[in-house]
Amino acid sequence: MEFLSKRAKGIVPYTAGEQLNDKRYVKLNTNENPYPPSPEAEHVLRSFDAARLRLYPAPNADGLRETLARIEGVSPENIFCGNGSDEVLALCFPAFFDTDGAGACFADVTYSFYEVFARFFGVPFLTVPLKEKFYLDLSAMKEAKCGGYFIANPNAPTGVGIALEDAEAFIESVPDKIVIMDEAYMDFFGQSCAPLTKKYPNLLVVKTFSKSYSLAGMRCGYAVGNQSLISGLFRMKDCFNSYPVDALCQAVCTAAAEDRDYHEKTVELVVKERERLRGELLALGFVVPESKANFLFASHPSRGGGEIYSRLKDEGVLVRHWEKPFLRDFCRITVGTPEQDDILVQKLKKILS
Ligand code: PMP
């Protein structure tokens, strides 16, 4: 322990959701997609030539960037790929914020990794409370004294989304500050700011293969932005890890990204099921804000979030709960298949009876 630096000793790391295998759970706790990845991606995975692994992968994931550029309607120079969107978000801190600068701003209730990254990179930060009904307070954020923003849209863990026109008005209103839009769940909302990166040099959009592409286990995320922002991320990558996206990952993600029909079909299934599950939870008396993501944020007037979480766990259903002031009444429930969700609802009925 005495070998640890002060920073390593002092920092509170991000707590990832449980990945338990003590028994078979209905796993609705880490916003994974309940459907398998694209068959095209699976085919590439199965036919991958292991001899290729002798060599280092393309350091900048050029093939994958070309495919993503086509999908996003930009040039490959406007795309950066990393080892999960977490890594892309992490690199944004040293790329765009100084340790003695104006700092980063984000909501008080949002993806908790932003705060961990800020502390890890020594970047000052401030948080802005959510408004009523869990909406982001964009006008308060606009006035905040900061150098830039991290905005999860849809937000986690609430699932609340910002409409495209409101997002654009905000980006336009802060031309001297960078806006990093974390669109990990955007495919379930369909109002991406990515096309706006051509219009606003202060906008960087970050996306992932973990959710809508069902590839959380592959670890790939990417950023879309103007060339100067993207080259900033490349500078940071090449100070840290030259090959963050492995060869197999590049091949599989390229195939998944190219299979537009499958992507659209699975997103549609999840969105349809999200609305059905929300209806079931409302009928059980839960309070559930309208979600634009692949999860629901639910509280019950007669039971604490912690109680629901642990009773569900005993019943073999995993959801996410945080023992924190604003969050403790709620559970975050990932939308599963209709069969998984039926089990959840049946267990909830038992717990509430
Ligand atoms: N952003 C948000 C808002 C998330 O919830 C997550 C998933 N925990 C991520 C980014 C990171 O996803 P990944 O690293 O798997 O791309």
Side-chain angles (χ1 to χ4, degrees):
M1 209 54 183
E2 62 272 28
F3 295 116
L4 289 187
S5 68
K6 280 193 221 112
R7 187 152 55 135
K9 274 190 278 199
I11 201 159
V12 179
Y14 173 74
T15 316
E18 295 165 294
Q19 303 290 349
L20 299 177
N21 44 23
D22 55 325
K23 61 180 181 190
R24 276 179 76 86
Y25 288 97
V26 173
K27 191 171 179 306
L28 304 175
N29 68 330
T30 48
N31 299 343
E32 288 133 334
N33 197 312
Y35 298 104
S38 140
E40 301 292 331
E42 185 179 342
H43 173 71
V44 166
L45 177 73
R46 288 187 189 280
S47 54
F48 191 82
D49 178 8
R52 280 178 63 189
L53 297 178
R54 190 176 61 77
L55 303 173
Y56 284 103
N60 296 345
D62 290 333
L64 176 57
R65 286 168 64 223
E66 265 170 43
T67 296
L68 291 172
R70 226 181 316 116
I71 292 166
E72 300 291 354
V74 296
S75 302
E77 296 74 44
N78 302 114
I79 304 280
F80 172 82
C81 296
N83 187 251
S85 62
D86 277 339
E87 186 185 66
V88 180
L89 292 164
L91 294 176
C92 287
F93 281 85
F96 308 122
F97 296 89
D98 287 307
T99 52
D100 58 355
C105 171
F106 33 87
D108 63 341
V109 175
T110 188
Y111 187 34
S112 54
F113 229 142
Y114 305 150
E115 181 172 336
V116 178
F117 288 142
R119 292 186 192 281
F120 183 69
F121 288 103
V123 167
F125 67 92
L126 62 96
T127 59
V128 171
L130 293 186
K131 287 197 297 195
E132 76 288 358
K133 295 192 175 163
F134 313 108
Y135 281 107
L136 246 62
D137 193 344
L138 290 175
S139 38
M141 287 178 88
K142 184 180 150 197
E143 300 309 323
K145 293 210 177 339
C146 66
Y149 303 92
F150 286 83
I151 297 177
N153 187 30
N155 197 13
T158 62
V160 171
I162 306 168
L164 182 56
E165 71 251 35
D166 295 339
E168 177 166 9
F170 177 76
I171 296 156
E172 194 173 19
S173 75
V174 291
D176 301 327
K177 300 177 185 177
I178 185 169
V179 180
I180 294 147
M181 282 285 181
D182 177 355
E183 295 193 350
Y185 302 102
M186 181 49 86
D187 291 331
F188 306 106
F189 185 16
Q191 304 215 9
S192 176
C193 284
L196 299 178
T197 55
K198 288 197 262 194
K199 198 167 158 191
Y200 299 102
N202 61 326
L203 170 64
L204 188 83
V205 173
V206 179
K207 300 194 178 191
T208 181
F209 280 89
S210 298
K211 316 293 177 183
S212 59
Y213 288 99
S214 314
L215 286 169
M218 240 21 264
R219 309 305 303 130
C220 189
Y222 65 98
V224 188
N226 79 57
Q227 216 180 330
S228 128
L229 299 182
I230 294 298
S231 67
L233 289 172
F234 275 112
R235 282 176 75 84
M236 294 302 96
K237 165 187 97 75
D238 289 324
C239 294
F240 182 67
N241 181 1
S242 311
Y243 307 101
V245 188
D246 69 62
L248 180 61
C249 180
Q250 292 187 31
V252 169
C253 288
T254 302
E258 272 168 3
D259 194 349
R260 304 313 301 155
D261 288 349
Y262 184 84
H263 184 252
E264 198 179 314
K265 206 175 75 189
T266 35
V267 165
E268 239 172 64
L269 285 175
V270 171
V271 167
K272 192 163 158 237
E273 176 60 10
R274 174 184 74 203
E275 299 311 314
R276 185 189 77 95
L277 177 59
R278 180 163 181 260
E280 295 277 358
L281 295 176
L282 290 173
L284 290 178
F286 281 91
V287 176
V288 194
E290 202 185 321
S291 167
K292 302 296 185 190
N294 67 339
F295 55 84
L296 295 161
F297 190 54
S299 71
H300 198 277
S302 75
R303 297 284 199 286
E307 183 188 344
I308 289 173
Y309 156 81
S310 53
R311 297 275 311 271
L312 280 174
K313 190 172 173 182
D314 293 343
E315 296 282 343
V317 180
L318 276 185
V319 298
R320 190 95 200 253
H321 176 254
W322 293 267
E323 197 46 57
K324 289 186 182 170
F326 174 88
L327 300 172
R328 69 167 54 94
D329 291 344
F330 293 85
C331 287
R332 191 196 65 190
I333 304 169
T334 305
V335 176
T337 60
E339 296 72 27
Q340 289 178 310
D341 295 343
D342 283 344
I343 296 173
L344 165 82
V345 169
Q346 182 206 329
K347 302 293 185 195
L348 284 171
K349 281 183 183 156
K350 183 173 161 192
I351 290 166
L352 294 171
S353 69

